[in-house]
Amino acid sequence: MIQKRYLNILLRRKWVIIITLIVTMIAVAISTRMQTPTYYTSSVIRIAVSANGTLSYSDYVQATQLMNTYVEIATSKPILDKLKAQTDLKYLPSIKVTVIPNTELVQISAEGVSPEQITNVANSLAEILISESNELYLGGDKTSQEILEEKLAVSQTDLDLTRASYAKLIIQTPAASAEKVEITRQIFQQKLNQHSTLLGQYTQTAIREEIRSNMITVIKPAQVPSSPSK
C-alpha cells in the first residue's frame, strides 16, 4: 500500500515536470516569435592619402587625422540631416562609423529592423561623404584649379592682344622703328613665358585635384542581409 502511494507520488511529479517543460517551451516559442529581428550590414570606404600607395610617417599621421575627421563628420548633425533627406526617413537606424586599424579603410555600419532600409542608409552615407568631400574641406570656396583657370583665361587674352600688336607693328607702313619693334617683341616674349608658366601650374594642379577627387572611394558597398543578426 505504501509502495503504491509512493509510486503515485512519483508519477504525479513526473507529469508535473513534463507539463512544466511543455509550458516553458511554448512560452519560449511564443516569446521568440513576438520579438522583432534585428539586421546588420556595412559598407567600407577608402580614404587614400598617398597617390602612389607609399606612406611616409607624415602621410601616416595625416591619414590617421583625416580618417578620424571623417568619422566625426559622418555622424555630425548636418550629414545625418542630409542622410535623412536622401533616404526619405524621419528616424535613422543605428549607425556606427569606425576606422579599421592599420588601414586606410573606414567602415560604415547600420543596424535596424528593415534589411533594405539599413542597406540604403549605409550606402547613402558613403555616397554623401564622397560627394561632400570637397565642400567639407574647401568650405565652398574656389579650388586652386578654378583660380588658375581664371588667371589663364586673362593671360591668354592679354597674350593674344600683344601678339596682334606685335604682328601689326612688323608689317605697318611706314615701318616702325627698330627700337619700338624690339621693345614690343620683348613684352610679347615676357607674356608668352608667363602664360607658359601659368599653363604648367594649371596642368599640375588639375592632376593633383583629379587625384584628390578620387581619394575617397567605395571599396565594399553594403549588401542586403538575408538573415537577422540577432
Side-chain angles (χ1 to χ4, degrees):
M1 188 71 177
I2 295 176
Q3 186 178 7
K4 184 178 180 180
R5 183 180 301 173
Y6 180 72
L7 290 173
N8 288 335
I9 292 173
L10 288 177
L11 187 60
R12 284 197 298 270
R13 288 181 177 179
K14 180 180 178 181
W15 279 109
V16 168
I17 293 173
I18 292 173
I19 293 172
T20 302
L21 286 173
I22 292 173
V23 170
T24 301
M25 291 174 66
I26 293 173
V28 169
I30 294 174
S31 175
T32 301
R33 284 182 173 273
M34 291 178 64
Q35 290 179 355
T36 303
T38 302
Y39 295 85
Y40 170 90
T41 191
S42 65
S43 61
V44 177
I45 60 174
R46 181 191 179 207
I47 303 175
V49 174
S50 176
N52 58 15
T54 303
L55 285 178
S56 63
Y57 177 74
S58 60
D59 289 334
Y60 177 78
V61 173
Q62 182 183 356
T64 302
Q65 294 174 341
L66 186 61
M67 287 190 291
N68 288 333
T69 300
Y70 265 96
V71 168
E72 294 299 320
I73 289 172
T75 53
S76 65
K77 188 177 184 303
I79 296 299
L80 293 181
D81 287 343
K82 289 182 180 180
L83 182 59
K84 287 180 181 179
Q86 184 166 318
T87 56
D88 197 25
L89 292 174
K90 186 176 181 180
Y91 300 103
L92 293 172
S94 176
I95 298 172
K96 187 176 182 182
V97 183
T98 55
V99 176
I100 299 177
N102 302 318
T103 70
E104 295 178 326
L105 306 179
V106 172
Q107 185 176 48
I108 302 172
S109 306
E111 190 174 33
V113 297
S114 170
E116 293 78 13
Q117 185 184 93
I118 62 171
T119 304
N120 186 27
V121 165
N123 287 330
S124 295
L125 183 52
E127 292 172 4
I128 289 173
L129 287 177
I130 292 172
S131 64
E132 296 291 323
S133 59
N134 284 334
E135 183 178 343
L136 291 170
Y137 282 94
L138 296 176
D141 294 336
K142 292 180 180 179
T143 64
S144 299
Q145 183 179 353
E146 290 172 338
I147 293 173
L148 282 172
E149 189 174 351
E150 291 176 356
K151 289 183 177 180
L152 198 60
V154 172
S155 174
Q156 183 66 61
T157 301
D158 193 19
L159 181 63
D160 290 342
L161 291 174
T162 305
R163 180 187 286 111
S165 297
Y166 179 53
K168 183 179 179 181
L169 193 64
I170 292 175
I171 63 174
Q172 79 173 23
T173 303
S177 65
E179 182 182 1
K180 186 174 183 181
V181 172
E182 179 60 22
I183 291 174
T184 306
R185 186 194 68 78
Q186 291 178 3
I187 292 174
F188 171 69
Q189 187 61 49
Q190 181 182 12
K191 290 186 177 181
L192 181 61
N193 293 338
Q194 292 173 347
H195 184 77
S196 297
T197 301
L198 274 176
L199 186 60
Q201 293 175 350
Y202 174 79
T203 302
Q204 292 299 319
T205 301
I207 293 172
R208 285 197 301 269
E209 294 194 359
E210 177 65 23
I211 293 173
R212 177 181 177 181
S213 67
N214 295 317
M215 283 297 187
I216 307 177
T217 54
V218 176
I219 299 299
K220 183 184 79 68
Q223 302 294 324
V224 179
S226 57
S227 58
S229 58
K230 61 183 178 181

